[in-house]
Amino acid sequence: MGGKQSFPIVKLDREKIVIVTGGNTGIGYETAKWIAMMGATVIIACRSEERAKAAIEKMNEDFKKEKEKRKDLIEDETLAVEFMKVDMASLKSVMAFINEFKESGRKLHSLVCNAGIGWVPQYKLPLTNYLSHFLIIAHLLPIMMKSGEDCRIVSVSSSGHTYSCDFDLENIQGKKYTPETFDRFLYYRRSKLYQVMHMFSLNRRIKNSNVTVNSLHPGFVQSEFTRAFEDQGRYMFLWKFGKSFGKLIDMSCVSLR
Ligand SMILES: NC(=O)c1ccc[n+]([C@@H]2O[C@H](COP(=O)([O-])OP(=O)(O)OC[C@H]3O[C@@H](n4cnc5c(N)ncnc54)[C@H](OP(=O)(O)O)[C@@H]3O)[C@@H](O)[C@H]2O)c1
């Protein structure tokens, strides 16, 4: 993990509350860390307490090293990063997370819908990537709407949603699912398409509110994402090759799908 910072550093108030789903590694880790290093309170919503706590420790180590190199980060000794438990593959766990946050009575200024699995051989994929985020947004949006100016929902999607991907109502309802016909690559792309469609439709409904809706493709990022397709030689080759070419390899991956 790691990487260069390519965005302006702004001072954020500790009162600003940001949730990052899947903030214990990869893109979510860096996102949570940098937002915290600018001053906000960040809640990393993760399924493993152990991994989350180790991540918070590592974030503070990274913070100390970063502070030795630069002067524009917060003066505090430690980052305001907290852990909340959520398993995005379980609606029961997602509801428990939502209720715990509601009961805390806290405001919510930004929600980064990042947790995701790629190409896993199981039907839980749309649940983790899309449906659970849908539920969290539906329940926490009213809180965001009362949390003051400039609140943001950021959905971490993928350019994969644009390639050989369609919206199929029966499929999204699980009616066509069988273990034999399950296409993990297609399901991943679809889950990302649903995220994008959700953001467009949400934006139409709340565009004049204090909450902006954003959807992004992160580019080609070296993370733990490959855990899901280590058995797929072709994709692993492209991923490793991508270490040298970054964005370019992203385009190459796309043309193979
Ligand atoms: N890397 C890329 O090049 C790339 C490209 C396009 C889009 N994206 C998107 O970027 C997002 C982040 O991916 P990444 O590359 O950072 O992958 P990653 O390193 O594998 O991180 C994924 C994060 O999601 C969490 N997660 C997975 N299943 C979960 C569950 N059931 N409940 C709670 N958390 C869960 C993981 O937690 P655990 O550590 O507990 O597994 C981890 O924190 C994903 O939505 C992905 O689709 C990535």
Side-chain angles (χ1 to χ4, degrees):
M1 284 190 293
K4 288 188 198 134
Q5 159 245 334
S6 58
F7 44 85
I9 296 293
V10 290
K11 291 275 176 228
L12 299 173
D13 200 297
R14 276 240 159 153
E15 300 296 305
K16 289 264 179 210
I17 312 281
V18 178
I19 293 178
V20 180
T21 65
N24 62 282
T25 190
I27 295 166
Y29 173 93
E30 292 295 331
T31 305
K33 183 180 80 181
W34 279 96
I35 294 174
M37 291 202 299
M38 290 191 267
T41 299
V42 182
I43 297 167
I44 55 169
C46 310
R47 59 180 158 180
S48 159
E49 181 165 0
E50 202 187 334
R51 277 170 71 78
K53 295 226 161 126
I56 294 173
E57 215 168 285
K58 170 93 173 50
M59 280 180 202
N60 277 299
E61 284 166 19
D62 290 359
F63 173 50
K64 282 199 185 90
K65 285 184 201 147
E66 204 66 43
K67 277 218 309 185
E68 285 165 12
K69 289 189 266 169
R70 54 196 300 163
K71 300 272 171 245
D72 53 354
L73 303 175
I74 51 165
E75 285 169 13
D76 310 58
E77 286 297 304
T78 52
L79 300 174
V81 184
E82 302 168 21
F83 157 71
M84 275 183 75
K85 173 108 181 155
V86 66
D87 180 356
M88 301 289 284
S90 154
L91 291 181
K92 197 173 158 198
S93 169
V94 172
M95 277 316 300
F97 164 77
I98 289 166
N99 289 331
E100 191 186 336
F101 187 80
K102 280 184 183 168
E103 281 157 20
S104 74
R106 297 172 109 176
K107 290 184 174 179
L108 178 59
H109 302 94
S110 295
L111 171 60
V112 184
C113 298
N114 163 79
I117 40 174
W119 308 350
V120 286
Q122 56 172 296
Y123 67 94
K124 282 181 179 170
L125 206 152
L127 179 58
T128 305
N129 292 2
Y130 164 65
L131 274 175
S132 293
H133 282 127
F134 187 103
L135 200 60
I136 292 172
I137 291 169
H139 281 272
L140 299 189
L141 184 60
I143 297 177
M144 297 185 85
M145 287 185 143
K146 289 190 216 143
S147 293
E149 283 178 15
D150 193 16
C151 292
R152 305 175 190 193
I153 296 172
V154 180
S155 182
V156 183
S157 182
S158 164
S159 63
H161 80 277
T162 55
Y163 305 104
S164 313
C165 189
D166 57 357
F167 180 78
D168 179 336
L169 199 54
E170 289 209 343
N171 219 316
I172 198 174
Q173 291 169 341
K175 290 182 180 163
K176 288 185 181 167
Y177 171 77
T178 63
E180 297 76 36
T181 57
F182 176 69
D183 177 343
R184 59 208 259 197
F185 306 115
L186 179 57
Y187 264 63
Y188 175 73
R189 297 198 299 273
R190 280 194 176 131
S191 73
K192 294 291 156 187
L193 174 66
Y194 303 156
Q195 278 186 294
V196 174
M197 290 173 74
H198 179 205
M199 290 303 108
F200 271 108
S201 79
L202 185 62
N203 186 51
R204 272 202 306 279
R205 287 168 175 82
I206 65 166
K207 64 180 168 203
N208 295 321
S209 79
N210 63 324
V211 184
T212 56
V213 179
N214 309 272
S215 180
L216 65 90
H217 163 60
F220 178 87
V221 183
Q222 295 295 320
S223 65
E224 291 194 63
F225 203 59
T226 48
R227 284 177 285 180
F229 53 97
E230 268 159 9
D231 59 328
Q232 300 287 309
R234 182 176 67 169
Y235 289 99
M236 281 309 292
F237 169 75
L238 286 171
W239 204 266
K240 283 177 187 159
F241 190 58
K243 278 183 185 166
S244 321
F245 294 101
K247 283 260 178 196
L248 178 63
I249 196 70
D250 191 34
M251 300 303 289
S252 306
C253 282
V254 163
S255 67
L256 278 180
R257 291 180 195 156

